């Protein structure tokens, strides 16, 4: 949360001339209600099932190269990491320190159910970070523009993954 996944993802997709998909937005479209409302009405476990189903749907219907911004908990589920791996997805962790991430979340004015308790949120990030670091790349986001972050991702992904499809 707050790393800039949606913003950087959109910039990256535009630079590559690929489709951009924000998984949280798709969940809202599929469910007809906000993420916060799903958490409140159904709980986190139900939301995680919905999230996995949405990822599976998105991967099934997407037939062109895409940048997919995953929600903060999506990558935590092994089933989702496996789905991404089966699709040959390159995974990138947008890494930032806790204070910066919280500040960014507050700027947006969006209700973040998992940030309501600051101490719990810090612990959550500490628990998630080792799993996030399983991504193929980690890119530091502090003090950097979305364009600079997207440029680094393009450089790192395509210089290391010459066997992957290179954008037109």
């Amino acid at each position: 949360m707050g790393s800039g996944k949606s913003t950087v993802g959109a910039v990256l997709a535009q630079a590559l001339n690929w489709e951009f998909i924000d998984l949280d937005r798709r969940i809202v479209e599929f469910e007809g209600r906000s993420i916060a409302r799903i958490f409140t009405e159904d709980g986190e476990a139900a939301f995680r099932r919905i999230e996995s189903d949405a990822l599976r749907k998105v991967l099934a219907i997407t037939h062109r190269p895409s940048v997919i911004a995953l929600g903060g908990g999506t990558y935590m589920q092994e089933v989702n990491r496996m789905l991404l791996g089966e699709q040959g997805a390159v995974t990138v962790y947008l890494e930032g320190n806790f204070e910066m991430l919280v500040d960014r979340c507050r700027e947006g004015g969006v209700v973040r159910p998992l940030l309501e308790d600051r101490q719990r949120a810090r612990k959550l990030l500490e628990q998630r970070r080792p799993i996030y670091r399983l991504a193929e790349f980690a890119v530091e986001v502090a003090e950097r523009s979305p364009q600079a972050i997207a440029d680094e991702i393009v450089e790192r992904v395509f210089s290391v993954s010459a066997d992957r499809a290179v954008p037109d």
Side-chain angles (χ1 to χ4, degrees), residues 39-56:
F39 264 79
T40 300
E41 293 175 356
D42 301 342
E44 185 174 358
F47 173 76
R48 297 301 171 200
R49 285 190 299 277
I50 291 167
E51 184 177 53
S52 288
D53 289 344
L55 179 60
R56 197 172 290 107

Side-chain angles (χ1 to χ4, degrees), residues 9 28 47 135 140:
V28 170
F47 173 76
E140 179 59 47

Side-chain angles (χ1 to χ4, degrees), residues 4-31:
K5 297 177 299 290
S6 297
T7 302
V8 171
V11 170
L12 179 60
Q14 185 174 16
L16 296 170
N17 196 28
W18 288 6
E19 180 178 5
F20 174 65
I21 300 166
D22 183 305
L23 189 63
D24 283 349
R25 286 189 190 137
R26 290 292 175 95
I27 291 168
V28 170
E29 289 172 14
F30 294 152
E31 291 295 307

Side-chain angles (χ1 to χ4, degrees), residues 46-155:
F47 173 76
R48 297 301 171 200
R49 285 190 299 277
I50 291 167
E51 184 177 53
S52 288
D53 289 344
L55 179 60
R56 197 172 290 107
K57 281 182 200 174
V58 162
L59 292 171
I61 63 174
T62 303
H63 299 293
R64 59 178 273 216
S66 303
V67 173
I68 304 173
L70 302 177
T74 311
Y75 199 69
M76 294 303 297
Q77 297 178 75
E78 185 175 6
V79 66
N80 294 336
R81 293 192 305 273
M82 290 175 56
L83 279 169
L84 293 163
E86 290 166 5
Q87 295 293 316
V90 175
T91 53
V92 179
Y93 167 37
L94 300 182
E95 187 166 19
N97 70 60
F98 178 75
E99 295 303 325
M100 180 208 69
L101 298 173
V102 169
D103 289 346
R104 285 183 174 187
C105 288
R106 290 205 169 112
E107 287 171 7
V110 176
V111 175
R112 310 279 182 145
L114 296 178
L115 278 182
E116 290 174 1
D117 177 335
R118 191 176 181 87
Q119 207 169 0
R120 180 175 175 238
R122 183 181 295 277
K123 186 175 179 179
L124 184 64
L125 178 60
E126 289 169 9
Q127 290 170 340
R128 288 180 172 185
R129 199 165 257 154
I131 301 297
Y132 290 164
R133 288 185 175 147
L134 294 175
E136 291 177 63
F137 298 100
V139 176
E140 179 59 47
V141 298
E143 309 288 327
R144 299 182 68 201
S145 71
Q147 186 64 57
I149 297 164
D151 290 346
E152 179 180 341
I153 294 168
V154 169
E155 182 180 312

